Amino acid sequence: NGNFISIKNIRNFHYHSQSIYDIDHYDQTFCLDDIKTATIGFVPFSKNIFVVHAFIKFDFKDDNHVVFSVELRKRKGKKFSFWKNIFPYCEIMYIIADQKDVIDLRVKHRENESVNLYTLNLTTAQLQQIFWDMCVRANKLHSRPEFFSLFFNNCTSNLIDHLNKAADCRIPWFYKHISPGLLCKYLLKNKLTTWQL
């Protein structure tokens, strides 16, 4: 509705451990004009620097925050499989969540998992475009689901698509399909991000 975007069922789980949590959701209306900053987070899967999970957090003037995390919709009781997800196996989904949900889960309750945060050095207009585009993409997946693909349709490739629509320099296909784990270095080198202490 103009510059206002209403998001239903923002995930806000309260974790006691990785597998024990209280389920909670809330609805929130955001004004694009109130976006202050955005942070991109990288979560290494292992010592392999080529593979990471990436998400983006938006901060608003009224101290509201929301995180977009592109993930695969795992089947109940199944664990992530590198080999199976080379081919179409699970759906891809956009998790829209509270920052305490997405970030706290990883830094407090998952063993050997860390989160590296970088501030996006983009204009307010560019951040607004990314936020809008991610909402549109989430709606499209709701009406027309797609399969997750380890190389062609994953968290980083989708995030790069959103960044490329807004950023002045285009991120090469190499970081999108071959080596997403090196994306953080590319963004720093090209001054698109600043590392958060």
Side-chain angles (χ1 to χ4, degrees):
N1 183 14
N3 280 344
F4 292 90
I5 297 178
S6 296
I7 302 178
K8 295 182 178 181
N9 298 319
I10 295 173
R11 199 180 76 182
N12 187 31
F13 286 15
H14 305 283
Y15 291 89
H16 305 286
S17 69
Q18 182 174 343
S19 57
I20 301 175
Y21 46 83
D22 300 322
I23 297 174
D24 189 23
H25 297 85
Y26 61 86
D27 300 342
Q28 183 82 36
T29 297
F30 300 93
C31 179
L32 292 176
D33 293 333
D34 288 341
I35 293 178
K36 289 195 308 182
T37 59
T39 299
I40 184 170
F42 292 98
V43 183
F45 281 137
S46 65
K47 293 181 180 179
N48 185 341
I49 63 172
F50 296 100
V51 183
V52 298
H53 174 66
F55 61 83
I56 185 169
K57 175 174 75 77
F58 292 91
D59 303 308
F60 293 80
K61 294 178 182 177
D62 53 5
D63 289 331
N64 280 320
H65 313 272
V66 68
V67 178
F68 288 78
S69 180
V70 184
E71 303 182 13
L72 68 122
R73 190 189 300 275
K74 291 184 291 187
R75 298 178 183 179
K76 189 174 182 178
K78 299 293 182 180
K79 294 184 178 181
F80 176 82
S81 168
F82 179 90
W83 300 109
K84 286 183 178 180
N85 285 289
I86 292 177
F87 307 99
Y89 177 66
C90 294
E91 291 178 9
I92 193 169
M93 62 178 175
Y94 273 48
I95 291 178
I96 304 176
D98 191 276
Q99 67 170 349
K100 293 180 180 178
D101 179 321
V102 173
I103 298 177
D104 283 7
L105 166 64
R106 288 171 165 83
V107 299
K108 293 182 178 180
H109 301 295
R110 287 184 177 173
E111 294 183 4
N112 303 318
E113 206 165 272
S114 60
V115 177
N116 302 310
L117 300 174
Y118 301 82
T119 301
L120 280 169
N121 299 326
L122 301 177
T123 67
T124 300
Q126 289 172 325
L127 297 180
Q128 291 171 345
Q129 184 177 350
I130 294 171
F131 186 89
W132 174 271
D133 197 50
M134 296 192 88
C135 290
V136 170
R137 172 78 169 135
N139 267 346
K140 286 183 178 179
L141 287 175
H142 176 72
S143 58
R144 183 175 292 180
E146 297 176 11
F147 280 110
F148 176 93
S149 171
L150 196 62
F151 293 114
F152 300 107
N153 196 13
N154 56 54
C155 61
T156 312
S157 68
N158 277 271
L159 188 54
I160 287 175
D161 285 341
H162 296 302
L163 290 172
N164 278 342
K165 289 182 180 180
D168 292 332
C169 88
R170 294 192 61 80
I171 300 170
W173 66 271
F174 176 79
Y175 299 93
K176 180 178 178 181
H177 298 306
I178 305 299
S179 183
L182 297 179
L183 176 62
C184 57
K185 293 185 177 181
Y186 175 88
L187 295 176
L188 280 171
K189 181 180 178 181
N190 289 275
K191 298 181 179 180
L192 291 170
T193 58
T194 303
W195 182 51
Q196 291 185 10
L197 296 177

